[in-house]
Amino acid sequence: MHVLRTIKAMLLVASIACAMGCGADSSPTSPSGNGVAGGNLATAAVESVAAVRELVSADTDAYHVSFSLREMTGNAGVTIKAMDLTFANGVKATFGPERAPAARIRAGGTLSVSDLTVTGSPASRATSVQIEVLLTDDAGRDSASVASATVTSAYVLSGRIVNKATGSPISGAVVTITFGAATGRRATSDATGAYVLRTIPAGQLSFTVSAPGFATVTRTAMIDGNAVIDVGL
């Protein structure tokens, strides 16, 4: 009987130890089971950067910067805290998360940020820009992602659309680029007949002008600076 009681006691101790060990091994590393707590720091890579300098006027350049953010780990999301742009000419700007389509990027997701615009002086033009995005992951840990890009040049094509017989402005005329790097871009003339197409790359282009009741007209131009082209229909 003494031996039997001893064996039962040993089996009871072993069962308790096994239960404790199994419970510790099977518990998740975070409430969601995705490994966020104590796991790898979630962050996002800055990709597909495009930076364009546009000569807005004789004394103003506008820099338009676009890029995408891709969460790298696939384990947790990240939230944008700030987006910093530093240009080679010393111009700096900081944008908040409200300038992005969404503040949070889901785990493994991608978010596109477009047209962060900074103005500068043509007397000191920047040839490159550095982007730094400050982030916080779902576990509250901070990180920063950095990328750089060359700044390319673009220009403004503008003018007025008028009735060539009377000289009166034509409102609602559609100006469409049909050849060149900006093919497919379009603008509509306002009540004064004015149209504006921005961030047009340098090079040769063709565009059409159409309006109800008028024959469509095609124009060709070489863009190597801001261009003003009036068209009569």
Side-chain angles (χ1 to χ4, degrees):
M1 292 295 292
H2 177 73
V3 173
L4 182 60
R5 285 198 297 271
T6 301
I7 293 173
K8 288 182 177 180
M10 293 174 63
L11 290 173
L12 177 61
V13 171
S15 297
I16 294 172
C18 179
M20 292 176 63
C22 293
D25 290 341
S26 62
S27 62
T29 57
S30 70
S32 63
N34 61 7
V36 174
N40 293 334
L41 174 67
T43 188
V46 180
E47 301 176 330
S48 304
V49 181
V52 177
R53 179 192 64 81
E54 178 186 44
L55 179 61
V56 177
S57 65
D59 58 358
T60 304
D61 276 340
Y63 297 92
H64 305 282
V65 179
S66 301
F67 54 90
S68 63
L69 290 166
R70 180 167 59 90
E71 199 287 309
M72 300 295 290
T73 67
N75 293 325
V78 290
T79 300
I80 299 170
K81 296 177 66 176
M83 299 173 286
D84 295 335
L85 303 182
T86 303
F87 293 86
N89 61 356
V91 173
K92 297 181 179 181
T94 296
F95 298 89
E98 71 278 359
R99 292 299 302 272
R104 184 179 180 275
I105 308 166
R106 63 177 176 80
T110 300
L111 180 72
S112 295
V113 179
S114 62
D115 203 20
L116 300 181
T117 301
V118 180
T119 58
S121 170
S124 178
R125 288 178 173 168
T127 57
S128 63
V129 61
Q130 177 176 285
I131 300 165
E132 182 177 16
V133 182
L134 306 179
L135 303 157
T136 299
D137 73 2
D138 288 348
R141 298 169 296 185
D142 294 339
S143 65
S145 294
V146 179
S148 59
T150 299
V151 176
T152 60
S153 294
Y155 303 98
V156 178
L157 171 62
S158 62
R160 293 181 71 241
I161 311 301
V162 299
N163 184 325
K164 63 181 179 181
T166 65
S168 58
I170 299 176
S171 172
V174 178
V175 181
T176 305
I177 298 178
T178 56
F179 174 80
T183 295
R185 296 274 302 279
R186 62 177 56 196
T188 302
S189 62
D190 63 17
T192 68
Y195 73 92
V196 180
L197 285 159
R198 299 191 178 279
T199 61
I200 304 299
Q204 187 170 347
L205 61 77
S206 296
F207 64 93
T208 61
V209 181
S210 59
F214 296 90
T216 298
V217 171
T218 299
R219 291 286 185 269
T220 299
M222 175 60 70
I223 304 298
D224 55 7
N226 288 353
V228 178
I229 302 177
D230 298 331
V231 179
L233 299 183

